[in-house]
Amino acid sequence: MTLPVIEKARSGELALGTFVFEFATNGIGRLAAHAGAEFVLYDAEHTGWGWETLGGLVSTTRPTGVPAWIRIPSAFDRTFVSRALDVGASGIMAPMVGSAEVAAQLVDWAKYPPDGSRGAAFGVAHDDYRSGDNVATMRKANSDNVVICQIETVAGLEAVEEIAAVPGVDVVWVGHFDLTNSMGIPGRFDHPDYLAALDRVAKAAADTGTIAGFMPTSVEQATDLIGRGFSLLAYNGDLWLYQQALAAGLTAIRSAAKA
């Protein structure tokens, strides 16, 4: 049985979560879950977090029932995939996936035999330190663990149809700033070529039964993406949400004090 949030998004329904980059607290995953997030993505690409920190974040999120996923630092290192899953994440996001071959390798590393070559260790964090039927554990993990491939280079965009068609790839996710950098239009999110790229990724997902994902930073951007066919959205990151909410509140209080 695939995770309900993935089934929901694959059916075309909107599934909303959030990204965490900064606040490595015991409460952050539970705060996100109680706010209504349906998944939490913890970033290991642009942070300095080690595996002990990531394991703690995942372990305090798991009891909520909301899946915790880890964006690994690279798509080209098997140990990143293994460690993310073994510390208890129920999925991985890999940056800069540029070909179907890279995507297939990620799936192989993320799945136990006979579906892949993931190394076996049981009774550890991903089992909540419980013993049990190891064969059933492998079967369930192969069904439930999520593989997200980031499309954030011209090479990835040109191969997105093939990447999305790789068995075991669940999500093709636009890394928008890196994609515009690679396209030679950095930060030009209104550029026709970038907008066409969004539509191409969404179509590739729809045509292959995978999911189109994105991290919108505003309601307006999210609404546009939904209209284009994106159904898995991580609404903004913890540090920006905190900063924006704090700035809005401080500004409002200062204005009220002057009234």
Side-chain angles (χ1 to χ4, degrees), residues 77-141:
D77 190 325
R78 178 192 184 104
T79 62
F80 292 148
V81 178
S82 300
R83 287 190 169 192
L85 297 175
D86 282 348
V87 300
S90 57
I92 57 107
M93 171 186 280
M96 303 283 182
V97 176
S99 70
E101 290 75 19
V102 171
Q105 183 68 87
L106 288 163
V107 172
D108 179 75
W109 290 338
K111 306 292 184 182
Y112 291 113
D115 300 332
S117 63
R118 178 180 172 184
F122 303 108
V124 296
H126 67 73
D127 293 321
D128 290 320
Y129 306 101
R130 292 191 299 258
S131 59
D133 183 337
N134 295 337
V135 173
T137 294
M138 289 192 291
R139 189 181 303 116
K140 187 174 190 306

Side-chain angles (χ1 to χ4, degrees), residues 6-251:
I6 290 297
E7 290 185 331
K8 180 180 180 181
R10 186 172 280 128
S11 74
E13 292 186 67
L14 179 63
L16 293 173
T18 193
F19 238 116
V20 176
F21 293 82
E22 183 66 24
F23 301 131
T25 75
N26 289 334
I28 192 67
R30 285 173 284 182
L31 284 165
H34 296 318
E38 297 171 85
F39 63 91
V40 182
L41 264 161
Y42 291 107
D43 184 72
E45 182 188 11
H46 298 297
T47 69
W49 291 338
W51 293 108
E52 294 87 353
T53 298
L54 290 160
L57 289 166
V58 169
S59 70
T60 53
T61 305
R62 283 167 62 97
T64 69
V66 169
W69 303 329
I70 293 175
R71 174 160 63 180
I72 59 177
S74 168
F76 302 98
D77 190 325
R78 178 192 184 104
T79 62
F80 292 148
V81 178
S82 300
R83 287 190 169 192
L85 297 175
D86 282 348
V87 300
S90 57
I92 57 107
M93 171 186 280
M96 303 283 182
V97 176
S99 70
E101 290 75 19
V102 171
Q105 183 68 87
L106 288 163
V107 172
D108 179 75
W109 290 338
K111 306 292 184 182
Y112 291 113
D115 300 332
S117 63
R118 178 180 172 184
F122 303 108
V124 296
H126 67 73
D127 293 321
D128 290 320
Y129 306 101
R130 292 191 299 258
S131 59
D133 183 337
N134 295 337
V135 173
T137 294
M138 289 192 291
R139 189 181 303 116
K140 187 174 190 306
N142 283 355
S143 173
D144 290 355
N145 284 348
V146 176
V147 175
I148 303 170
C149 292
Q150 285 201 272
I151 307 301
E152 46 189 354
T153 63
V154 169
L157 181 63
E158 290 302 310
V160 68
E161 292 83 7
E162 291 78 18
I163 292 168
V166 170
V169 169
D170 298 290
V171 185
V172 282
W173 186 290
V174 174
H176 53 296
F177 220 117
D178 280 317
L179 181 56
T180 60
N181 283 346
S182 181
M183 295 172 72
I185 48 171
R188 293 284 305 281
F189 303 122
D190 59 348
H191 195 285
D193 291 348
Y194 168 73
L195 298 176
L198 291 180
D199 292 337
R200 181 172 179 176
V201 172
K203 185 177 187 303
D207 288 348
T208 55
T210 53
I211 299 161
F214 198 99
M215 187 190 82
T217 57
S218 70
V219 173
E220 294 75 19
Q221 186 182 34
T223 302
D224 177 70
L225 290 161
I226 294 164
R228 294 177 185 275
F230 286 74
S231 58
L232 191 74
L233 302 180
Y235 175 59
N236 221 335
D238 56 338
L239 68 167
W240 301 298
L241 289 168
Y242 171 79
Q243 189 176 57
Q244 290 165 10
L246 180 61
L250 294 175
T251 298

